[in-house]
Amino acid sequence: MVSRGAAGRHGGPPALPDPLPGAVGMSHITPYDWEAADGVCGGSPHLHLVCTEAYVVTAGRGAVQTLTPGGYRETELEPGAVVWFTPGTVHRMVQREGLRVTVLMQNSGLPEAGDAVFTFPPEVLADPDRYAAAARLPEGQERAAAARARRDLAVEGYLALRTAAEAGDRGPLRELHRAAAALVAPRAAGWKALWRAGALAAAERTGEQITALGQGVPDHLEQARVRAATPSRRDGYGMCGRRAEYELPGTTLPYYGE
């Protein structure tokens, strides 16, 4: 069994202690009720570069608008619905009536390290300093206004992408993918250490436990334990809306917020 206090076999930081199942990240989102330029209330359109994301709808009504190489789609969200999408999917959470969603993120630690990229206009995406300034939120009373301005800038870029997609032009979406990759390239090497310590280590522990059980050795069961957590912050301004955040293993890095 992998020692939880030592560096993993691949090097890098120690394996995360008792992560959530599959080393996923979790938050609770209430999408913004701010109206955007197109009359739609909701969050900031964005995409993830290496993480699949899932929505588990717990209350209210809304939708998620998505852009992929297959085109534009709007998926209704109501209690009990589960919707998930793979890396490269531009998504925008839409608020209609009290929508509340539990968000599950693959590869806990990677979204926090910058895996998410806003759909800002091309001229902002092309300039790392300008992008960082547009994405960053100040502390204090100006935070809500800045979050709304950030959302509106992401919607501006998104609407142009959607117009192109609806006309059958995939070029702008491809350019977004290239620009997003260029933005995160300086950080990508560091993501491997987080992945090895999190999702990969969790999968390897399972493999080692299966091997041990096949040999009649159940020693890892002696380490059974229970963990619990409550939100460390209940009203953060995330990408999609007000966000209840958890300080779980691998999720405490600075994050613009889902």
Side-chain angles (χ1 to χ4, degrees), residues 208-224:
E208 291 166 0
Q209 290 163 358
I210 291 171
T211 297
L213 288 172
Q215 298 168 350
V217 180
D219 291 358
H220 65 279
L221 302 180
E222 295 297 322
Q223 299 181 38

Side-chain angles (χ1 to χ4, degrees), residues 98-222:
L99 180 64
R100 184 167 172 78
V101 174
T102 294
V103 178
L104 304 177
M105 289 296 313
Q106 182 188 19
N107 301 316
S108 178
L110 297 190
E112 294 82 2
D115 160 72
V117 174
F118 292 98
T119 56
F120 293 153
E123 63 272 17
V124 179
L125 291 169
D127 184 336
D129 291 336
R130 189 174 174 186
Y131 177 90
R136 189 177 301 114
L137 296 182
E139 295 296 334
Q141 296 181 348
E142 299 178 356
R143 196 169 180 84
R148 185 165 185 167
R150 181 179 71 176
R151 191 283 308 268
D152 290 344
L153 188 63
V155 168
E156 178 184 338
Y158 162 78
L159 291 177
L161 289 167
R162 194 174 93 182
T163 298
E166 291 177 324
D169 182 3
R170 299 180 182 179
L173 182 59
R174 290 194 194 99
E175 289 303 315
L176 169 66
H177 289 168
R178 293 189 185 100
L183 271 173
V184 306
R187 299 193 293 270
W191 291 358
K192 282 197 173 182
L194 293 170
W195 163 69
R196 287 168 178 158
L200 180 60
E204 288 185 333
R205 278 197 296 274
T206 299
E208 291 166 0
Q209 290 163 358
I210 291 171
T211 297
L213 288 172
Q215 298 168 350
V217 180
D219 291 358
H220 65 279
L221 302 180
E222 295 297 322

